[in-house]
Amino acid sequence: MEIYDGEFISELESIARRVRAHAVKMIYQAGSGHPGGSLSAVDILVALYFHLMKHDPKRPDWPERDRFVLSKGHGAPALYAVLAEAGYFPVDELWSLRKMGSRLQGHPCMRKTPGVEMSTGSLGHGLAAGNGMALAAKLDRKLYRIFVICGDGEMDVGETWEAAMLASHHKLDNVTLYIDRNKLQLDGPTEKIMSLEPLGDKWKAFGWHVIEINGHSLKEIIKATNEARSIKGRPTAIICHTIKGKGVSYMEGSLHFHGKAPSDEEYRQAMEELGVSEE
Amino acid sequence: MTWKWESQRKQYGRALVELGKERNDIVVLDADLSSSTRTADFASAFPERFFNCGVAEQNMIDTAAGLAASGKTVFASTFAVFGTGRCYDQIRQSVAYPKLNIKIVASHAGITVGGDGASHQIIEDLALMRVLPNMSVIVPVDSNETYKAVKTVASNKNPVYVRIGRADVPTVTDKDSPFDLDKASIMRTGDDVTLIGCGIMVSKCLEAAEELAKHGIDARVINLHTIKPLDEKIIVKAARETGAVVTAEEHSVMMGMGSAVAMCLVENFHVPMKRVGIPDVFGESGGCDELMERYGLTMENIVEAAHDVLKRKK
Ligand SMILES: Cc1ncc(C[n+]2csc(CCOP(=O)(O)OP(=O)(O)O)c2C)c(N)n1
Ligand SMILES: [Mg+2]
């Protein structure tokens, strides 16, 4: 199977590197945004849009497409960069992020950006919205699947657990949730602000199939997602252990870069580290 | 005046079941109050298209968003106090902003909730809903109009808030009187003063008009069933022709229907005006009539307000 094909994986990895560079550049040019949580989710997004999801960038409203919801809407730069790389709109449009008149709003807007399935930004809504899509798929006897990424900070939100209950109650095996477990939220480490562990046990107790992986390993993301696809009668949560700011040394594990654009010097260094000389 | 009192909720339930038969894109959600809101009627007719989200209103609204984004026409119901305030962010972010095809039909609005008291008597839901861009706001006047409003909003693809009550309300319209979202209805003609009501207060306006007639005052009565978009034309015309306006609503006077009318008149045509409604206070437990009296929602309150604006007229 292709997931063990080293060449294929390294192709995805180079897309991920490009996406990271785009995201940092977008935030740099906008002068604001959330690099940390964008970068931690890149590999999951790349695996989804370049391998796992059934979708067609030329037909964003194709009824049979798989749906993706970025519940942690502040990760928008990563999503936009992946959508552009996939062909939903030109890569050049990425630099309009957060600018007046842009289709790329600071947080995802389903009415403005092709490929965006749900408007998000206020945390904790995405899983419930994904469940709604999953219920619609079941009603319509459609086979499309729903993929949702939540931040670990979103585990604080009561509605996340309301949605967790609804998904298992309705046996929504067409829902796959990726928890971007980068261990940081806005104010500090999750275990210091509002401890989440044992997180896997919590999801299990809510009736979910739970898998824990390295969220930067494309191979593991693909393998876990395929496992989720084979699980019948319950939804799957994939706890993706990640590093906030992954790919840019001084952003990795940094609280500072949760929601701050890099300076000129920092930007140059980031581009260098990502192997993009003066993108 | 003697009225026939009928349930709005029952007509909501009936309209939903009919819609369910006519169209299979209709999906209904509730938050553990289906027997009260009467979505239970739909639930038993179409169990596969009904989802009870439990006591989780926020979850209900976002689930509705996902369903609507996938092509469904979604009705979401609970008590008005929980269906607006408890999930305001969800409505703002996931219903109004993306302009999704979701109809929030909320029952038990206003102080006529009665015994449950202030915790359940929402008097600010119209205020919360009408400030949301893309959101329409409807207050059906009676059971007939509830049925028509539900059928009507199902045919557009926009977010709508429909407010209905717990208690039976006076039937002031006929089964076949026209209902048009864009047009308020004139319930009584008259040129001395205009009484604009919504919901249960329309019947009180009609009673007040009878009373005023005894003193030779001809009151025009308007049923302003749609607070947003506001039928400014009919309001301005009435102000121009009668020169004095009284509004009456079972809602806080702070930012409800009367405020919408006042803002419209301030910008378009100044006339003496008075708002009858719940003052800026919370309600309390009590019987419907007692509460209506205690909080200034009687026919007499409207008559008094009419005399007041008439005095200030010219
Ligand atoms: C309801 C809500 N409250 C607060 C915020 C502000 N906010 C933006 S990001 C964030 C922290 C999110 O942490 P996490 O989900 O772990 O995201 P990540 O670490 O992946 O960036 C907060 C509190 C928000 N967007 N929504
Ligand atoms: Mg985090």
Side-chain angles (χ1 to χ4, degrees):
Chain A
M1 174 113 187
E2 59 190 339
I3 64 164
Y4 298 113
D5 175 342
E7 209 172 297
F8 174 68
I9 293 291
S10 69
E11 198 178 302
L12 290 184
E13 281 166 354
S14 69
I15 296 172
R17 205 171 313 117
R18 259 199 325 272
V19 165
R20 287 196 159 87
H22 290 338
V24 172
K25 181 172 171 183
M26 289 163 79
I27 295 167
Y28 170 69
Q29 296 213 348
S32 66
H34 299 80
S38 296
L39 294 174
S40 62
V42 164
D43 301 296
I44 307 165
L45 283 164
V46 167
L48 283 170
Y49 278 90
F50 289 89
H51 179 59
L52 294 162
M53 270 172 44
K54 192 173 63 179
H55 69 117
D56 180 358
K58 297 282 161 288
R59 284 184 298 161
D61 54 359
W62 177 39
E64 312 301 324
R65 73 194 184 280
D66 287 339
R67 269 56 165 185
F68 172 74
V69 178
L70 183 65
S71 188
K72 38 171 275 186
H74 59 282
L79 173 61
Y80 296 156
V82 165
L83 289 174
E85 279 287 329
Y88 281 87
F89 46 83
V91 167
D92 272 349
E93 193 169 339
L94 291 175
W95 325 133
S96 71
L97 174 75
R98 290 178 173 244
K99 304 240 163 80
M100 195 71 193
S102 172
R103 293 198 292 181
L104 308 183
Q105 296 293 295
H107 293 83
C109 172
M110 64 183 283
R111 295 301 181 203
K112 290 212 159 92
T113 315
V116 169
E117 300 279 2
M118 184 53 57
S119 303
T120 52
S122 175
L123 294 170
H125 295 214
L127 181 56
N131 286 342
M133 296 173 182
L135 289 170
K138 298 250 177 200
L139 281 174
D140 295 340
R141 310 213 187 305
K142 299 255 188 201
L143 294 175
Y144 65 79
R145 299 183 62 78
I146 292 85
F147 302 96
V148 180
I149 297 183
C150 278
D152 47 6
E154 288 190 282
M155 302 297 107
D156 300 354
V157 182
E159 188 187 353
T160 298
W161 300 100
E162 298 178 359
M165 286 176 89
L166 186 141
S168 66
H169 178 81
H170 287 289
K171 305 183 171 35
L172 298 182
D173 49 17
N174 48 354
V175 170
T176 306
L177 169 67
Y178 302 85
I179 300 167
D180 185 350
R181 187 75 176 103
N182 57 26
K183 286 115 196 145
L184 287 176
Q185 52 195 105
L186 194 148
D187 273 342
T190 57
E191 298 317 283
K192 205 169 142 211
I193 304 295
M194 186 56 64
S195 42
L196 302 175
E197 295 300 342
L199 185 59
D201 288 348
K202 290 191 170 84
W203 284 92
K204 275 182 205 144
F206 276 74
W208 287 56
H209 179 65
V210 176
I211 309 171
E212 298 216 21
I213 62 165
N214 170 357
H216 297 308
S217 159
L218 286 149
K219 233 185 221 177
E220 287 188 35
I221 297 165
I222 291 168
K223 203 164 146 240
T225 307
N226 287 335
E227 179 180 327
R229 207 185 293 273
S230 73
I231 299 293
K232 298 293 167 221
R234 59 201 162 124
T236 295
I238 305 175
I239 300 178
C240 303
H241 291 279
T242 57
I243 296 168
K244 202 152 170 164
K246 171 77 177 175
V248 178
S249 60
Y250 59 86
M251 289 186 182
E252 290 194 356
S254 150
L255 200 56
H256 183 68
F257 282 101
H258 165 79
K260 195 174 170 300
S263 66
D264 296 346
E265 182 44 40
E266 287 163 344
Y267 171 65
R268 266 191 295 278
Q269 187 187 333
M271 289 299 114
E272 213 166 280
E273 288 183 14
L274 291 166
V276 189
S277 45
E278 260 338 284
E279 205 197 299
Chain B
M1 290 172 105
T2 51
W3 303 109
K4 198 168 134 206
W5 295 70
E6 289 174 308
S7 161
Q8 293 183 298
R9 291 184 278 147
K10 197 167 145 195
Q11 291 306 316
Y12 172 44
R14 179 179 148 234
L16 273 187
V17 171
E18 281 186 23
L19 282 167
K21 274 189 203 131
E22 291 158 14
R23 290 163 47 180
N24 58 19
D25 65 312
I26 303 283
V27 173
V28 178
L29 272 55
D30 205 299
D32 205 24
L33 282 166
S34 65
S35 51
S36 303
T37 62
R38 298 298 291 263
T39 59
D41 303 354
F42 183 95
S44 48
F46 309 100
E48 71 292 349
R49 281 190 270 148
F50 174 80
F51 300 101
N52 197 325
C53 299
V55 192
E57 295 76 14
Q58 304 176 349
N59 188 33
M60 173 174 77
I61 296 297
D62 278 323
T63 304
L67 281 157
S70 312
K72 302 298 177 193
T73 299
V74 188
F75 283 82
S77 288
T78 175
F79 288 175
V81 68
F82 308 128
T84 56
R86 182 59 177 262
C87 49
Y88 190 74
D89 187 52
Q90 283 72 14
I91 297 172
R92 180 185 189 278
Q93 315 286 357
S94 308
V95 179
Y97 178 40
K99 205 175 181 190
L100 285 168
N101 189 4
I102 295 168
K103 323 298 175 190
I104 299 168
V105 182
S107 72
H108 293 62
I111 58 163
T112 49
V113 159
D116 277 346
S119 64
H120 285 53
Q121 297 163 341
I122 193 160
I123 54 172
E124 71 275 19
D125 53 323
L126 298 179
L128 291 171
M129 292 298 110
R130 81 183 181 90
V131 293
L132 286 173
N134 295 332
M135 182 67 83
S136 297
V137 179
I138 300 170
V139 186
V141 71
D142 62 9
S143 64
N144 291 330
E145 202 169 88
T146 301
Y147 172 82
K148 289 177 221 170
V150 172
K151 297 292 281 262
T152 305
V153 298
S155 64
N156 70 44
K157 293 213 173 293
N158 302 327
V160 182
Y161 176 69
V162 181
R163 173 197 227 227
I164 60 180
R166 175 193 66 83
D168 287 356
V169 294
T171 301
V172 298
T173 66
D174 298 327
K175 288 207 164 39
D176 43 35
S177 45
F179 177 76
D180 183 344
L181 284 186
D182 301 324
K183 283 198 190 73
S185 16
I186 296 185
M187 309 293 289
R188 181 188 172 116
T189 53
D191 287 330
D192 295 331
V193 61
T194 302
L195 312 178
I196 302 177
C198 66
I200 193 173
M201 295 309 288
V202 173
S203 61
K204 305 278 179 202
C205 288
L206 289 166
E207 289 169 5
E210 291 270 288
E211 185 61 29
L212 290 165
K214 289 181 195 156
H215 300 91
I217 299 164
D218 251 350
R220 181 178 304 188
V221 177
I222 293 174
N223 165 21
L224 194 63
H225 49 69
T226 303
I227 315 295
K228 196 184 156 191
L230 193 68
D231 184 354
E232 298 205 337
K233 236 192 238 155
I234 210 168
I235 295 169
V236 173
K237 185 164 185 280
R240 208 182 286 277
E241 290 173 358
T242 68
V245 171
V246 172
T247 58
E249 63 197 308
E250 186 200 352
H251 186 275
S252 161
V253 290
M254 294 301 282
M255 273 299 284
M257 178 273 279
S259 306
V261 170
M263 289 172 186
C264 162
L265 291 179
V266 159
E267 289 191 341
N268 293 290
F269 195 83
H270 287 211
V271 292
M273 185 185 161
K274 195 138 186 145
R275 292 165 300 154
V276 171
I278 301 166
D280 186 20
V281 293
F282 283 108
E284 63 191 289
S285 293
C288 282
D289 291 341
E290 293 170 313
L291 288 166
M292 297 284 274
E293 199 169 317
R294 170 90 172 73
Y295 291 91
L297 302 178
T298 64
M299 176 266 276
E300 289 79 10
N301 294 119
I302 299 171
V303 169
E304 197 184 318
H307 284 306
D308 182 81
V309 292
L310 281 166
K311 237 179 276 162
R312 291 192 274 134
K313 186 172 152 178
K314 89 192 157 255

